[in-house]
Amino acid sequence: MHTPEDMVSVDELRMQRVISAVALASTGDIDLALRQLETAEQDAFGKLEVALRVFLSQLSATLHQNARALDALAASKGELEGQLRTIQRQELAIRELSVPIIDIWQGILTLPLVGLLDSMRAVEVTERLLARVAEDSDVAWVILDLTGVRVVDTMTAQHLVKLGQAVRLLGARCIITGLGGHVAETLVALGISFEELTPMRSLREGLKVCLARCAATHGGPAGKLP
């Protein structure tokens, strides 16, 4: 049981100061709340004021630390988004380089393929080439040059045959050039024929054929290679 000696007399101003500090802290204004508690008397109530000030100081430090962490996180997010955009631009550039469609002559496109020609890349080739032929009514011939391709699997070879058929449906024709010995041997072993694509030994020979057929179609010379 408390005796009168244990009781602490607190004036209204000190009590109001503590209440004000708590109210300010509840609204997030920790620094102003701490200023309300800058002075404390050396009595029991003063110990409460000191304890409250220590608590608010620690809370303020924690909030500032969290704010810095959030700023760092936001900066990292922005950096990652920038890197992602860079990667996407690089992927687009790589895709364009991997399917280089070239206007080699009036009405004649060539698509020189280099490296591994797998099914995924064959799909990319088909999409871009058909889009180009569809948007350009002047295209009459497309030369698929495989000089830089060393390996062609069954699915990819079939894809190229279907590509030639799709190009024909769009009103143009396909020629395939540059079949290497290993690729030709593989195609024979797989029982796949590129006969419909008029295979030629080199891009030069394929271009000569295209020019000759363009001349025959239009009734005049389309150009001549030396």
Side-chain angles (χ1 to χ4, degrees):
M1 183 176 179
H2 294 290
T3 63
E5 292 78 9
D6 297 325
M7 304 299 290
V8 177
S9 177
V10 181
D11 62 57
E12 185 177 350
L13 183 59
R14 293 178 67 190
M15 182 62 71
Q16 186 60 41
R17 189 172 62 194
V18 170
I19 293 173
S20 177
V22 172
L24 288 168
S26 68
T27 61
D29 199 343
I30 307 297
D31 294 336
L32 187 55
L34 285 170
R35 285 199 290 272
Q36 297 289 321
L37 303 171
E38 287 179 347
T39 60
E41 299 182 15
Q42 299 297 320
D43 57 15
F45 192 76
K47 293 180 180 178
L48 174 63
E49 292 175 307
V50 171
L52 180 58
R53 188 168 66 234
V54 170
F55 169 74
L56 293 179
S57 297
Q58 293 176 343
L59 179 60
S60 177
T62 300
L63 291 176
H64 286 307
Q65 183 178 2
N66 289 343
R68 289 193 297 270
L70 288 174
D71 289 342
L73 183 60
S76 297
K77 180 182 178 183
E79 184 179 350
L80 288 174
E81 289 175 346
Q83 291 175 349
L84 179 59
R85 288 191 294 270
T86 300
I87 291 172
Q88 290 172 339
R89 288 194 298 269
Q90 290 173 343
E91 287 179 345
L92 179 60
I94 291 172
R95 288 175 61 187
E96 291 177 350
L97 289 173
S98 67
V99 190
I101 301 174
I102 302 171
D103 289 283
I104 195 171
W105 211 275
Q106 183 178 357
I108 303 174
L109 300 179
T110 183
L111 184 59
L113 299 173
V114 179
L116 177 64
L117 185 59
D118 56 13
S119 300
M120 184 177 298
R121 191 176 175 202
V123 170
E124 178 72 15
V125 167
T126 298
E127 291 177 352
R128 292 203 58 207
L129 181 59
L130 293 183
R132 175 63 188 278
V133 173
E135 73 183 15
D136 189 349
S137 59
D138 291 335
V139 175
W141 290 90
V142 175
I143 302 175
L144 299 177
D145 184 50
L146 303 186
T147 303
V149 176
R150 295 291 175 263
V151 178
V152 175
D153 59 23
T154 305
M155 187 173 297
T156 302
Q158 292 173 343
H159 208 107
L160 291 175
V161 172
K162 292 179 180 179
L163 173 58
Q165 295 170 348
V167 168
R168 176 172 289 188
L169 289 176
L170 292 175
R173 295 290 300 273
C174 249
I175 282 183
I176 195 164
T177 64
L179 286 177
H182 180 70
V183 173
E185 183 180 353
T186 301
L187 294 176
V188 171
L190 295 174
I192 297 174
S193 173
F194 278 169
E195 204 59 42
E196 187 176 344
L197 297 179
T198 316
M200 306 295 295
R201 182 183 299 244
S202 67
L203 176 61
R204 179 186 177 85
E205 292 183 4
L207 181 56
K208 282 184 175 180
V209 170
C210 291
L211 289 172
R213 294 186 181 181
C214 281
T217 301
H218 295 93
K224 183 170 68 175
L225 292 179

